[in-house]
Amino acid sequence: MASGARGAGDAGEGEWLKVAELKAMAGAQDPQAKEVDNLTLRRFLRARDQNVGKASTMLLKFVAWRREAVPGGAIPAEQVKDDLAAQKVCMGGVDRAGRPVMLAFPARHFSADRDMATFKRFVVYLLDSICARIPRGQEKFLCIVDLKGWGYANCDVRAYIAAIEIMQNYYPERLGKALMIHVPYMFLKAWKMVQPFIDANTKDKFVFIDDKNLEETLKRELDESQLPEMYGGKLTLVPLN
């Protein structure tokens, strides 16, 4: 069974024993790893197909990264104010599975204006924000990536790779699905350059939706009350702040 196919609460006793083993193994090398909660440890374990050694290596990299990248425990909004003002990301409601929904608008991002260090902080800020909205009993979120209006000035392969690497290396098993909508042909060429940097589990979660199937797909994923107004539903989007 692929790791991404498991539900949030169906761990067996054997898996929890491996979680304890992972905490002990990683904690022996970095005491801060012992402070990581068991559900997070389980996500790292599942991201490495129950291999405790590989999960420990991944976890230790996460703990070291978090200590350096987010020394205060959270990215202050002031540090990413320009990205927030551009409304590149909005928060939606929940999907039919109860997962919180995030909407990203890559046409509001311009590569010429991008500072990589600031962009990475913004990615951490938005991932921390959506993960904080995940309810008890659920571990994943749904992302709608709306590429309407995307063109050459928005193309930023380095930024896309950086965002995906942060997500898959430090937020494993958090992305439930990414619906790629209003996809222009030129974006597919850029995506081909990004794909080699996406691991197999994550790659399967990016779903490209044809315009003719868009309405049907969104209504299958979201109740009308949770579907944003811009897609024919009743929900008012809230800009990330």
Side-chain angles (χ1 to χ4, degrees):
M1 186 185 215
S3 60
R6 297 186 187 88
D10 58 356
E13 184 181 353
E15 190 172 38
W16 288 123
L17 288 172
K18 285 191 172 187
V19 165
E21 187 182 345
L22 170 59
K23 180 174 281 193
M25 181 184 289
Q29 295 184 61
D30 187 333
Q32 209 165 341
K34 294 178 182 177
E35 299 172 19
V36 178
D37 67 89
N38 285 344
L39 288 174
T40 299
L41 293 174
R42 185 175 69 172
R43 286 192 293 273
F44 278 87
L45 189 61
R46 290 178 171 185
R48 289 297 175 262
D49 293 320
Q50 307 292 321
N51 185 308
V52 176
K54 289 181 179 179
S56 178
T57 299
M58 186 184 191
L59 177 64
L60 288 167
K61 287 179 180 176
F62 162 74
V63 171
W65 166 80
R66 189 85 193 178
R67 195 159 45 221
E68 181 180 346
V70 198
I75 301 290
E78 178 65 23
Q79 292 187 7
V80 293
K81 63 182 188 300
D82 291 341
D83 290 291
L84 292 174
Q87 296 190 11
K88 297 178 182 181
V89 172
C90 290
M91 294 297 173
V94 295
D95 69 3
R96 293 186 186 276
R99 301 176 296 193
V101 178
M102 176 173 71
L103 292 94
F105 301 96
R108 298 175 185 175
H109 171 90
F110 294 92
S111 55
D113 301 333
R114 186 260 299 143
D115 171 77
M116 184 58 84
T118 303
F119 178 77
K120 287 181 177 180
R121 282 194 292 270
F122 177 62
V123 171
V124 174
Y125 185 91
L126 70 87
L127 287 172
D128 281 353
S129 297
I130 189 68
C131 288
R133 291 183 56 223
I134 297 175
R136 192 178 183 89
Q138 182 57 263
E139 295 191 65
K140 300 177 187 288
F141 65 88
L142 174 74
C143 185
I144 297 173
V145 182
D146 190 339
L147 288 143
K148 193 169 189 175
W150 185 93
Y152 182 75
N154 311 115
C155 185
D156 196 346
V157 170
R158 286 186 63 220
Y160 304 155
I161 292 169
I164 287 170
E165 288 187 336
I166 289 171
M167 184 179 66
Q168 66 189 14
N169 292 337
Y170 307 129
Y171 297 81
E173 298 293 305
R174 282 303 204 183
L175 177 65
K177 189 184 294 183
L179 300 178
M180 313 292 284
I181 69 173
H182 297 137
V183 183
Y185 175 73
M186 196 170 87
F187 179 81
L188 296 176
K189 290 189 171 184
W191 190 248
K192 282 185 179 178
M193 291 185 272
V194 176
Q195 279 188 308
F197 296 90
I198 311 176
D199 67 37
N201 280 346
T202 305
K203 195 174 292 184
D204 291 342
K205 295 172 183 177
F206 286 90
V207 183
F208 286 76
I209 310 299
D210 290 335
D211 287 352
K212 67 178 184 294
N213 298 323
L214 179 57
E215 183 178 354
E216 177 191 349
T217 300
L218 291 178
K219 286 184 176 177
R220 186 169 62 243
E221 297 285 348
L222 304 165
D223 182 79
E224 188 181 15
S225 66
Q226 301 298 308
L227 185 64
E229 292 169 335
M230 63 195 298
Y231 305 126
K234 297 180 178 179
L235 187 79
T236 302
L237 291 180
V238 179
L240 180 63
N241 55 37

